[in-house]
Amino acid sequence: MKRLIVASAKTIGGEVAALSSDKSISHRVAIFSLLSDRPSIAANFLRAEDTLRSLSIVERLGAKVGFSGETLRIEPPSAIEEPSDYLECGNAGTAMRLFIGLLSSQSGFFALSGDKYLNNRPMKRVVAPLKEIGASIDGRKEASYAPIAIRGNPNLASFDYESLVSSAQVKSALILAGINANGGIFCEPELSRDHTERMLKAMGADIHVQNGKIAIAKKTAPLKPLNLRVPCDPSSGFFFAVAAAITPRSDLLLKNVTLNPTRIEAYKVLRDMGAKVEFIEKENDFEPIGDIRVRYGELNAIEINKNVSWLIDELPAMAIAFAFARGVSRVTNAAELRVKESDRIKSVVGNLIKCGVLAKELPDGFEIAGQERVGGAIVDSFGDHRVAMSFAVAALRADGEIIVNDSECVATSFPNFLEIYRSLGGAIEEQTVEN
Ligand code: S3P
């Protein structure tokens, strides 16, 4: 087992020019390349465990994949090939759910599986609406969990689906099924991250968004290939944003991050709490891209209950900001946290309590009372990359070291996390210990 040993720091700061690339966009680059008949090119593709899973699945489906230095080239097959073995998604929920959508509308037999965490995350949210339009999908516990087996059918019926959860993965799975089959209309309670809509539009898909409804038409010809530079990931950057916000005199600049409004809500919350946050937009192709500057400011407690899907991935790190804010902060309307890479309500609250913080689980969120400093502690990642990195940040203002057990998971999204943490002035070590 690997573990992180993290000490406090008086201040942190500097410029992060090579933050990890955006995970959501990288998954989509790999998967959407199969919708074209010409090679897609992407600079700065995220080479982390999760996104490399998507890339190797694309390869197993017949694409030719190669890196030339920084640049990824994916040459799609003329038709998706039936793989001779199951497709391994590892820890990547985005890979599994988007491939379920795409493959349910392709000729052939496909089986998908993941690690012990992913195989216990709900798949019914994508499987049920796909079955309603005729998809043939089976899996564990009546197709609620992976392993999942799909007998693809290019003739799925058109859908008019009102999702009960705001989830970009559910939305993207339906859109991918519709684009190959007979189109459809999708709507969700609150807009979730919209990379799929933006990227497919850039590829020339017939996709329209109006009054919260997304209409996707069947593609009548292969789409244009992608040619882009993947921006950096604001969700990965947010660990350092919290680090700067809680550590006196800190000044941090995150370079070339996507400033897509569905992705930077957490930074706005941090600003509302008292940190100094500026967005400097530099380009706007199909995603606005620019720099984010975050400086220390005394934090006050806050309540969060709307636009939750815009900051869902950032809530574990946000909980650390809450632990140092004056007053009691509360998140509700975030039951989705229970079905992420871990039950993030339980993991975050349990770990905070170990650090001596007054924290309480709510059915759909948590409540945290802020304090000056937290105690050193041994905490667990629960196999969840975002929990591991959040507690590495909490250590910056801890009396004593914080040790984060089971830290291998950091590599699923952020292979250079430790390097950047150190470059900003943090003291972090990784050890391998026997279980
Ligand atoms: C993602 C969507 C979100 C997010 C996940 C990545 C995506 O999940 O939590 O990390 O790339 O579509 P949900 O769609 O389940 O909310």
Side-chain angles (χ1 to χ4, degrees):
M1 164 183 95
K2 283 190 177 159
R3 62 180 198 176
L4 299 176
I5 299 162
V6 201
S8 65
K10 289 218 156 43
T11 187
I12 64 125
E15 193 175 293
V16 184
L19 189 63
S20 59
S21 308
D22 193 75
K23 182 157 82 75
S24 291
I25 298 177
S26 296
H27 275 299
R28 286 163 173 76
V29 163
I31 299 167
F32 296 179
S33 69
L34 295 173
L35 300 171
S36 183
D37 59 347
R38 283 172 284 152
S40 282
I41 309 286
N44 209 33
F45 180 88
L46 175 63
R47 289 200 228 188
E49 283 172 11
D50 271 17
T51 45
L52 291 173
R53 293 283 186 198
S54 279
L55 204 53
S56 73
I57 291 176
V58 160
E59 216 170 3
R60 299 281 306 283
L61 296 170
K64 291 200 179 70
V65 170
F67 282 96
S68 157
E70 260 296 282
T71 307
L72 167 67
R73 183 176 188 276
I74 310 173
E75 192 180 323
S78 50
I80 282 181
E81 291 169 13
E82 190 176 58
S84 58
D85 204 346
Y86 76 97
L87 302 168
E88 173 60 58
C89 298
N91 192 244
T94 308
M96 183 168 283
R97 297 201 177 107
L98 270 58
F99 276 115
I100 291 176
L102 178 81
L103 298 174
S104 64
S105 59
Q106 297 287 333
S107 299
F109 172 77
F110 310 93
L112 296 144
S113 192
D115 66 12
K116 64 178 179 190
Y117 303 103
L118 181 56
N119 283 2
N120 283 304
R121 294 182 63 192
M123 291 300 139
K124 199 156 205 152
R125 51 181 58 201
V126 289
V127 170
L130 290 168
K131 279 182 141 184
E132 263 176 45
I133 55 171
S136 166
I137 306 177
D138 206 347
R140 206 159 55 82
K141 299 199 177 153
E142 296 181 353
S144 298
Y145 298 96
I148 291 284
I150 301 170
R151 165 65 56 196
N153 169 10
N155 240 327
L156 300 178
S158 168
F159 56 84
D160 188 348
Y161 186 63
E162 206 169 312
S163 175
L164 293 177
V165 283
S166 291
S167 158
Q169 295 178 357
V170 173
K171 170 170 68 179
S172 305
L174 266 286
I175 290 175
L176 287 169
I179 204 167
N180 273 321
N182 285 301
I185 296 172
F186 179 89
C187 73
E188 55 188 344
E190 281 177 345
L191 175 71
S192 60
R193 65 188 64 188
D194 62 354
H195 304 299
T196 292
E197 297 92 303
R198 289 170 185 258
M199 290 171 76
L200 289 179
K201 193 171 249 168
M203 294 175 81
D206 189 354
I207 182 165
H208 294 278
V209 185
Q210 210 174 21
N211 301 330
K213 290 194 175 218
I214 301 164
I216 180 77
K218 174 189 175 73
K219 73 173 160 54
T220 47
L223 301 184
K224 283 187 280 187
L226 285 161
N227 190 343
L228 54 80
R229 179 173 187 82
V230 180
C232 293
D233 194 318
S235 307
S236 297
F238 195 66
F239 299 107
F240 300 120
V242 171
I246 64 169
T247 315
R249 296 177 305 283
S250 295
D251 188 348
L252 169 79
L253 188 68
L254 302 167
K255 306 273 290 177
N256 305 321
V257 180
T258 170
L259 300 180
N260 180 323
T262 64
R263 296 293 304 282
I264 55 169
E265 185 74 6
Y267 290 84
K268 295 179 182 167
V269 171
L270 212 50
R271 185 174 61 190
D272 292 344
M273 292 175 72
K276 298 182 185 71
V277 179
E278 293 160 65
F279 301 101
I280 307 129
E281 187 173 319
K282 295 195 300 197
E283 56 183 281
N284 194 336
D285 196 350
F286 58 93
E287 291 267 334
I289 297 173
D291 301 343
I292 306 180
R293 185 174 181 198
V294 183
R295 283 173 292 155
Y296 171 79
E298 273 190 27
L299 300 179
N300 290 306
I302 202 161
E303 295 230 0
I304 302 175
N305 58 19
K306 54 178 195 303
N307 274 352
V308 172
S309 70
W310 291 15
L311 43 68
I312 194 82
D313 287 349
E314 289 75 34
L315 285 174
M318 186 75 80
I320 306 305
F322 289 178
F324 299 105
R326 197 171 337 142
V328 177
S329 297
R330 189 173 301 108
V331 177
T332 51
N333 198 19
E336 276 296 296
L337 285 174
R338 295 221 180 258
V339 290
K340 291 294 177 188
E341 284 83 331
S342 69
D343 174 343
R344 286 183 174 159
I345 296 179
K346 212 180 220 46
S347 351
V348 164
V349 169
N351 279 348
L352 280 174
I353 290 171
K354 284 190 182 160
C355 297
V357 176
L358 275 176
K360 191 168 106 186
E361 283 191 40
L362 303 174
D364 61 347
F366 44 70
E367 208 172 77
I368 296 166
Q371 51 193 58
E372 248 320 289
R373 300 192 62 86
V374 301
I378 300 178
V379 300
D380 200 10
S381 75
F382 299 90
D384 184 333
H385 54 140
R386 297 201 199 280
V387 173
M389 291 184 274
S390 297
F391 281 85
V393 168
L396 288 165
R397 249 172 87 171
D399 293 325
E401 286 171 344
I402 290 191
I403 295 179
V404 185
N405 280 337
D406 262 324
S407 59
E408 293 81 351
C409 50
V410 168
T412 60
S413 67
F414 203 163
N416 57 344
F417 174 74
L418 272 74
E419 202 183 300
I420 296 177
Y421 195 104
R422 287 187 194 116
S423 77
L424 296 173
I428 188 164
E429 290 306 323
E430 187 174 47
Q431 278 184 352
T432 304
V433 287
E434 278 186 27
N435 283 352

